[in-house]
Amino acid sequence: MTSEGVTDLTGEDLAAGAAARSGVAIRELHAMAEFRQALRLFDDIWHPDPGNVPVPLELMIAFAHAGGYVAGAYEDDVLVGASVGFLAAGRALHSHVTGALVGRGVGYALKLHQRAWCLRRGLDRITWTFDPLVRRNARFNLAKLGARPEAYLESFYGAMADAINEGDDSDRLLAVWHLTGPPGGGRAAPGAARLLDAVGERPVVTDADGPVVLVATPDDVETLRRADPGAAREWRLATRRVLGGLLAGGARVTGFTDDGDYVVERG
């Protein structure tokens, strides 16, 4: 059974249902005007320096031409979400960038469209990276989709010049979404203690022990970066040390709680 309570092994029905609920039509992009719309949408979301755009126009064109995934979600004639990915080793698609209007379900519809696209082509995994400090993205990726982080990547993109990431290290988690099962799911963690906790706006490393531990995230790191860069920096370094150290030591992230904690099973 899927998270929607409907049996669906191909993903086509799930993708169509999610698009209908969010009020969009999703299709692959092929025309120059469509690629330019996607570029403008990404600019509106990230406000990047011209030399640090999420994906250049030329690469979108090349990826689409070479059989990669370049798709957009349209509300009537207005592009409200887009996603760009390229084929990767081991029957996988690497989803490089996905951006959508917040709070509409468009991002979820795009990911299910991407999942169905991969299944039609015999691919069994989608990978992407995300900032481990951004709670809403972690919840979406782990609890909503069912992806799992498999590596902590320190300063993965180097210095980034955009309105969201500027001034912080670009540490990322590598998310891997295995497509053989339905989307969604995550394990609860009864009785687990926080190895990384929060006191006010700042992180605190504890001496929590046990086979399962929790790693907290800040409420809103993007706001915190502007209001208290020092506290945001402390979260970056503490998360790198704790979550990065756990993953490097063979631990597995198995879920994400409603309170904003990574659930980590020690190896």
Side-chain angles (χ1 to χ4, degrees), residues 80-244:
V80 295
S83 184
V84 178
F86 50 87
L87 297 176
R91 288 170 44 189
L93 177 80
H94 184 76
S95 182
H96 176 61
V97 59
T98 299
L101 297 183
V102 175
R104 291 272 309 278
V106 177
Y108 184 60
L110 273 168
K111 295 306 288 187
L112 291 189
H113 181 274
Q114 190 178 73
R115 175 178 178 266
W117 185 95
C118 288
L119 290 172
R120 287 197 302 272
R121 288 159 176 80
L123 306 180
D124 55 24
R125 292 177 299 123
I126 302 175
T127 63
W128 63 90
T129 63
F130 70 97
D131 187 337
L133 297 183
V134 181
R135 181 181 290 184
R136 69 177 184 278
N137 288 350
R139 181 178 290 115
F140 177 79
N141 292 332
L142 277 64
K144 183 90 172 172
L145 295 179
R148 291 291 176 263
E150 294 193 359
Y152 190 99
L153 308 171
E154 184 176 333
S155 298
F156 186 62
Y157 294 111
M160 300 182 72
D162 62 58
I164 295 175
N165 297 288
E166 191 166 21
D168 195 2
D169 289 343
S170 59
D171 288 21
R172 295 292 184 265
L173 287 173
L174 176 66
V176 181
W177 192 17
H178 294 279
L179 307 181
T180 52
R187 298 183 185 178
R194 289 189 177 94
L195 183 57
L196 180 60
D197 205 345
V199 174
E201 295 284 355
R202 295 185 180 269
V204 175
V205 180
T206 75
D207 59 357
D209 200 1
V212 181
V213 292
L214 304 178
V215 176
T217 56
D219 288 338
D220 183 348
V221 71
E222 292 164 336
T223 298
L224 189 63
R225 285 181 188 131
R226 298 188 294 271
D228 191 342
R233 179 65 177 170
E234 288 182 27
W235 273 106
R236 176 66 70 202
L237 296 178
T239 303
R240 181 186 294 173
R241 171 188 165 193
V242 174
L243 186 58

